Amino acid sequence: MASNYLVTGAAGFIGSHSVEWLLGQGHAVIGIDNLRTGHLENLANARSSPNFEWVLADAGDEAAMRALFAQYHFSGVLHLAALVSVPESFRDPGLNCHLNLVIAERIARLCLEFDCKRLVFASSAAVYGSAATLPNRESAAPQPQSPYAAAKLAAEVMLLGYAASFGLEAICLRYFNVYGPRQDPKSPYSGVLSIFTDRFQRGLPVTVYGDGGQTRDFISVRDVARANGQALLGHPVVSGRYNVCTGLGVSLNDVLSIYREIFATAPPAEYSEARVGDIRHSLGDPSLLNNMLKFQANLSFSQGLHELALGSGGVK
Ligand code: UD2
């Protein structure tokens, strides 16, 4: 029997790219999403594949999920469905706890019940907090500073506890700053590159909070999709937490000089007060995932930004 893989949050930014990567490797994928923050248009490519099954469902709907597990006998689950906004986790910590912790735990139990060995979970570099020494290594004591980060960390703990208790293969991936096509630029707290690209494309000035010297470990969604896929398919794996990052820090001023090559006539950036609570530098150590899966981000930042800004990085 062919292997089936479940992707929750399939219509999201990272989800839709991950589905495409798995389909590109010839796998059968069942993608579910409740379209709370995902968009069905993101799955336009995927839905043209005979190996893709689209299901409009909530990952928290236990009856619907149970039926899918019973029908498809998944070989692995990529659980990306989540509350993705840190500000929203402050506004509604109860909902954050439900979506980011409770549902992840339920999915882990469904995996155990239906003998699905592998669960790949979308965690976040946010679990490290701002006080950690750089680069962030998985061995560092996490210091979550938002309800969002706390729930992601708690879910990691539950899944790894089940891995130790019941033999589930739980791979918790801590994404750093992911960018690329289909990232929603609408909120002021959207990823900075989605906001900047949108504004440059419309000929509008961008706002830099602070002096532009802050750095991030930006990783392309195409590399992240491959990390997700390799984590789902790779052998052998060791349950644990793994950074998904490049190991390279890029400042916002560096980012702006690349945009200037692309949008030569763009108005100059406007600088304003740094955001309260903003982190100065964020950088991950990619070696653990590299050691386990030989995973390495291979799209250079400049290339990734050109593809994003010029619209050739995939269907938007
Ligand atoms: C990321 C997460 C955030 C939280 C945090 C924890 C995203 C989009 N944000 O925030 O939710 O998990 O990590 O570490 O994943 N900036 C500007 N102008 C703009 C928008 C942003 O200058 O129009 C700055 C911003 O102040 C920051 C940098 O750009 O210094 C990156 O901002 P971001 O929101 O993309 O990502 P980050 O790492 O601050």
Side-chain angles (χ1 to χ4, degrees), residues 86 177 189 191-192 196 207-209 214 216 252 275 278-279:
V86 174
N177 288 69
Y189 294 96
V192 64
F196 279 12
T207 303
V208 175
Y209 301 117
Q214 64 266 52
R216 295 293 184 271
L252 284 196
R275 275 183 176 163
D278 209 33
I279 293 175

Side-chain angles (χ1 to χ4, degrees), residues 170-256:
I171 313 295
C172 303
L173 297 178
R174 294 177 170 177
Y175 305 135
F176 280 66
N177 288 69
V178 186
Y179 72 94
R182 303 179 198 150
Q183 192 171 32
D184 192 347
K186 288 196 188 71
S187 145
Y189 294 96
S190 296
V192 64
L193 302 183
S194 69
I195 296 174
F196 279 12
T197 299
D198 178 58
R199 293 187 67 82
F200 277 123
Q201 284 174 340
R202 294 192 289 137
L204 300 171
V206 300
T207 303
V208 175
Y209 301 117
D211 64 4
Q214 64 266 52
T215 60
R216 295 293 184 271
D217 189 328
F218 292 108
I219 182 164
S220 157
V221 70
R222 291 210 272 131
D223 281 326
V224 171
R226 186 165 48 86
N228 288 338
Q230 286 183 222
L232 204 52
L233 306 173
H235 285 289
V237 293
V238 178
S239 293
R241 333 154 124 100
Y242 297 89
N243 291 340
V244 178
C245 60
T246 66
L248 299 169
V250 179
S251 75
L252 284 196
N253 289 328
D254 294 338
V255 166
L256 288 174

Side-chain angles (χ1 to χ4, degrees), residues 24-73:
Q25 301 291 309
H27 297 287
V29 180
I30 291 78
I32 73 155
D33 204 300
N34 63 3
L35 302 182
R36 181 175 177 270
T37 50
H39 303 282
L40 199 48
E41 309 86 83
N42 288 343
L43 288 172
N45 286 351
R47 291 178 76 194
S48 65
S49 164
N51 288 333
F52 183 65
E53 190 81 39
W54 156 245
V55 181
L56 176 63
D58 192 314
D61 179 341
E62 204 152 355
M65 293 301 287
R66 182 172 290 279
L68 289 174
F69 273 82
Q71 182 181 351
Y72 290 103
H73 305 285

